[in-house]
Amino acid sequence: MKNLIRHLLFLFICVSVLSTASITFGASKDNASNGREIYTPAPKPEPRLNGPLVYGCRPGHPFLYRIPCQGKRPISFDAKELPKGLNLNKETGIISGITPTKGEYQVVLLAKNTKGKSKRNFKIISGDKLALTPHMGWNHWYAHYDRITDKMMREAADVMITSGMADVGYQYVNIDDCWMNAPKNNDPKRVGPLRDENGNMVPNSYFPDMKGLTTFIHDKGLKAGIYTSPGTLTCGGFTGAYQHEEQDARQFAAWGFDFLKYDWCSYGRIAGKDKSLEAYQKPYRQMGTILNSLDRDVVFNLCQYGMGDVWKWGAEIGGHSWRTSGDLGFELDRIFDVALKNSEYRAYSKPGEWNDPDYIQIGWIGNANKMGVPEFSPMPPAMQYAYMSLWCLMASPLIYSGDMSKLDEFTLNVLCNPEVIDVNQDPLGECGQVIQRDKETFIMVKKLSDGSLAVGLFNRSKKESEISADWSELNLKGKRLVRDLWHQKDLGHYNDKFCATVPAQGVVMVKIAKK
Ligand code: GLA
């Protein structure tokens, strides 16, 4: 009885807010037959400029940026106040050249087609910092494991453009482990000399032309990432950088890579019993210093699963992001727990310094336990929206790791909503805070640079649930416009709370406007 009264009271409160209150989400039922509801309307034909509002780079280094823009091509681009040294290709929207001298350059991007036009601010900050917003891109690991080839990398780059992913900001095309030779492997084509007579690393026979590969990626305006380990061998048993760190880093830069994932793995044997902070830091400090001395911007991603509280020192040794935990591929049934844990390190999330809870694994992915071939993700569709919402609210790097050749409409819908991505790329770089939590539900709130709040109402239970975000908990007062970000729809003005019916294992994600 008490429960019934509480329930009725809750419903009453919900319907008594200024506008129509409780909303059941799940607009388009087009894909509903297979349970995969498409939440977000398709992009319109008129141009819509997307992407980060700030961009960090180092003076005198090569510069490359493909302006993310949706809409029907051909689109003609323009960039007002582009600093000297940079050139825009007005047809492709690719800006290239040499990064200008230290300073802040407020550029205005413009895009136009026969249907309309779009305008967006883009501040280039030339200085010491890179990755002023979380990196966005793709990594091969959870799709292709030790089956990766140059051909698949090129295909991924192609699809990043043709699928529209690059038009909402995805730009890194990153190779993970297994591109080098191994001393032994089931596949003889991945076995060969680890280094040449000069000590240079030798890629395996599936990667005949590393420079050609990065050129292919760069020609599309995208960036290329590579992987190695400070140990003698990588996790997959391939050549690592031990005692060749500088030589390898210079080789990566000469090949044209823009991103390095540095994976602890067999370095454990070198560190031995030394569990001191210095021992954890040593290989990363060394590589951070080397990367800093290169004449190329290389984003440095630390992969050591959170040892020694890496979030406390990752930035100081030159890292731009650091994994906060083990491989998420083994914990896909624990997305909510992993995210809640990651959000505990929110104080360490800042522009150029990101907590990394691992990749977005949706669509066609291979089972991590057996390094399997890609299969369609069994994760409930609502949970996939929750997954992406959490990564955006936490300002986590958005690196998709599924089979690019099999991207379907639903998966692309989850990956490519620019309003949701704007939350991830917000210049403040804040990681959302959990303000309300019980066994089944929680709310995560992220402050945005325009004074608004992004709020995720999360329901972990297997039944839909009503969740209410009260203004008192959000430090808000008065009437506010609430916008549903997944459905890209204004819901109206709310006076003292926002409540919604949240799908089982799903999310409702809204933006609450500044006054
Ligand atoms: C570790 C990392 C993964 C992946 C593999 C490659 O497990 O955490 O992200 O890079 O190694 O072997």
Side-chain angles (χ1 to χ4, degrees):
M1 186 63 184
K2 230 171 159 184
N3 267 349
L4 184 68
I5 293 172
R6 212 185 300 139
H7 194 67
L8 287 174
L9 193 67
F10 179 82
L11 280 180
F12 173 73
I13 294 169
C14 282
V15 290
S16 66
V17 291
L18 190 77
S19 170
T20 45
S22 185
I23 291 149
T24 304
F25 288 78
S28 154
K29 301 268 178 193
D30 297 352
N31 261 17
S33 52
N34 54 20
R36 299 198 284 269
E37 278 178 27
I38 303 285
Y39 285 1
T40 305
K44 299 204 174 74
E46 50 264 40
R48 176 192 170 117
L49 284 160
N50 297 310
L53 300 173
V54 286
Y55 182 88
C57 45
R58 294 186 177 140
H61 289 184
F63 184 102
L64 181 67
Y65 183 76
R66 179 188 186 274
I67 301 170
C69 184
Q70 294 171 299
K72 194 169 178 305
R73 306 265 160 167
I75 292 177
S76 86
F77 292 91
D78 210 345
K80 299 265 174 267
E81 309 294 334
L82 199 62
K84 230 171 104 211
L86 299 185
N87 297 301
L88 167 72
N89 178 322
K90 296 193 171 188
E91 277 145 49
T92 59
I94 298 173
I95 303 174
S96 59
I98 297 296
T99 299
T101 49
K102 202 165 186 242
E104 298 197 0
Y105 303 87
Q106 184 59 68
V107 177
V108 180
L109 302 176
L110 301 160
K112 195 163 75 183
N113 67 9
T114 52
K115 304 285 177 188
K117 44 189 173 177
S118 174
K119 186 169 157 187
R120 192 164 171 100
N121 287 336
F122 181 62
K123 190 193 276 182
I124 298 174
I125 304 184
S126 176
D128 300 328
K129 288 208 141 194
L130 304 179
L132 293 180
T133 62
H135 357 293
M136 292 180 66
W138 175 81
N139 170 290
H140 92 251
W141 187 244
Y142 289 113
H144 306 302
Y145 300 105
D146 58 358
R147 300 177 295 273
I148 190 64
T149 64
D150 169 287
K151 193 165 165 273
M152 286 164 157
M153 294 304 304
R154 290 177 195 238
E155 181 176 38
D158 275 337
V159 176
M160 194 171 279
I161 303 288
T162 55
S163 65
M165 284 177 72
D167 296 339
V168 293
Y170 292 89
Q171 57 167 345
Y172 287 95
V173 181
N174 293 354
I175 319 178
D176 206 276
D177 202 349
C178 313
W179 61 268
M180 337 62 173
N181 272 323
K184 55 178 195 294
N185 192 265
N186 291 338
D187 181 351
K189 287 186 166 164
R190 293 185 197 265
V191 179
L194 307 187
R195 294 183 179 273
D196 68 14
E197 65 280 8
N198 299 317
N200 294 317
M201 283 188 91
V202 181
N204 65 44
S205 59
Y206 293 102
F207 288 90
D209 180 5
M210 293 303 254
K211 181 75 190 142
L213 174 57
T214 63
T215 304
F216 180 88
I217 295 170
H218 290 156
D219 284 350
K220 296 176 183 299
L222 302 174
K223 295 187 177 131
I226 196 158
Y227 164 107
T228 191
S229 166
T232 49
L233 294 176
T234 64
C235 298
F238 290 75
T239 323
Y242 185 56
Q243 291 186 330
H244 292 271
E245 297 81 1
E246 175 140 11
Q247 184 173 12
D248 289 356
R250 293 199 179 278
Q251 176 73 83
F252 299 155
W255 278 336
F257 284 98
D258 311 288
F259 185 107
L260 175 67
K261 172 173 171 182
Y262 208 37
D263 192 351
W264 176 270
C265 263
S266 74
Y267 187 83
R269 263 177 258 140
I270 292 155
K273 291 205 175 76
D274 190 350
K275 301 276 184 252
S276 67
L277 189 57
E278 288 69 34
Y280 286 137
Q281 292 177 338
K282 193 173 165 197
Y284 291 94
R285 190 182 292 285
Q286 179 192 27
M287 185 52 83
T289 309
I290 296 169
L291 295 180
N292 243 320
S293 73
L294 299 177
D295 54 8
R296 189 169 185 86
D297 289 353
V298 180
V299 168
F300 189 26
N301 173 225
L302 319 188
C303 178
Q304 48 82 288
Y305 341 113
M307 292 184 305
D309 292 351
V310 62
W311 40 89
K312 294 187 180 154
W313 49 266
E316 180 226 309
I317 58 91
H320 300 105
S321 58
W322 36 84
R323 281 267 298 277
T324 51
S325 54
D327 291 13
L328 186 61
F330 299 118
E331 301 195 273
L332 284 176
D333 52 342
R334 296 185 57 248
I335 287 294
F336 291 114
D337 293 318
V338 171
L340 285 165
K341 188 76 202 148
N342 181 72
S343 74
E344 287 174 17
Y345 317 126
R346 59 185 298 274
Y348 304 96
S349 171
K350 298 189 185 103
E353 309 175 14
W354 309 109
N355 292 317
D356 170 12
D358 210 354
Y359 306 137
I360 302 286
Q361 296 167 66
I362 60 174
W364 288 78
I365 50 166
N367 184 327
N369 293 301
K370 49 178 191 194
M371 290 176 48
V373 293
E375 293 168 273
F376 197 73
S377 165
M379 185 181 285
M383 198 188 277
Q384 300 191 32
Y385 285 110
Y387 188 171
M388 184 72 183
S389 306
L390 283 163
W391 263 236
C392 289
L393 285 161
M394 296 190 303
S396 308
L398 288 182
I399 305 283
Y400 176 56
S401 192
D403 189 343
M404 294 286 277
S405 71
K406 293 202 172 80
L407 277 169
D408 59 294
E409 190 197 3
F410 173 79
T411 305
L412 277 170
N413 195 258
V414 177
L415 291 174
C416 293
N417 179 324
E419 295 195 24
V420 172
I421 290 173
D422 275 351
V423 172
N424 176 269
Q425 294 288 301
D426 186 78
L428 281 187
E430 201 182 89
C431 168
Q433 183 175 18
V434 177
I435 55 152
Q436 199 193 90
R437 180 174 173 182
D438 62 27
K439 221 168 123 243
E440 314 254 87
T441 66
F442 64 93
I443 295 178
M444 191 181 278
V445 186
K446 174 175 159 115
K447 274 199 208 106
L448 302 178
S449 54
D450 65 0
S452 63
L453 293 179
V455 181
L457 312 180
F458 293 91
N459 174 16
R460 306 178 59 158
S461 79
K462 296 215 169 123
K463 289 191 303 241
E464 64 178 27
S465 175
E466 266 145 34
I467 305 179
S468 169
D470 295 8
W471 275 199
S472 58
E473 289 176 295
L474 298 170
N475 283 327
L476 296 176
K477 279 204 176 78
K479 189 166 140 181
R480 301 292 175 126
L481 179 65
V482 175
R483 182 167 174 82
D484 172 9
L485 295 181
W486 278 112
H487 295 82
Q488 299 184 343
K489 195 166 86 188
D490 285 343
L491 300 175
H493 289 85
Y494 289 71
N495 222 2
D496 52 6
K497 61 168 56 80
F498 170 73
C499 44
T501 305
V502 184
Q505 299 178 296
V507 64
V508 167
M509 186 171 170
V510 295
K511 181 164 165 172
I512 304 182
K514 196 179 165 199
K515 247 208 154 33

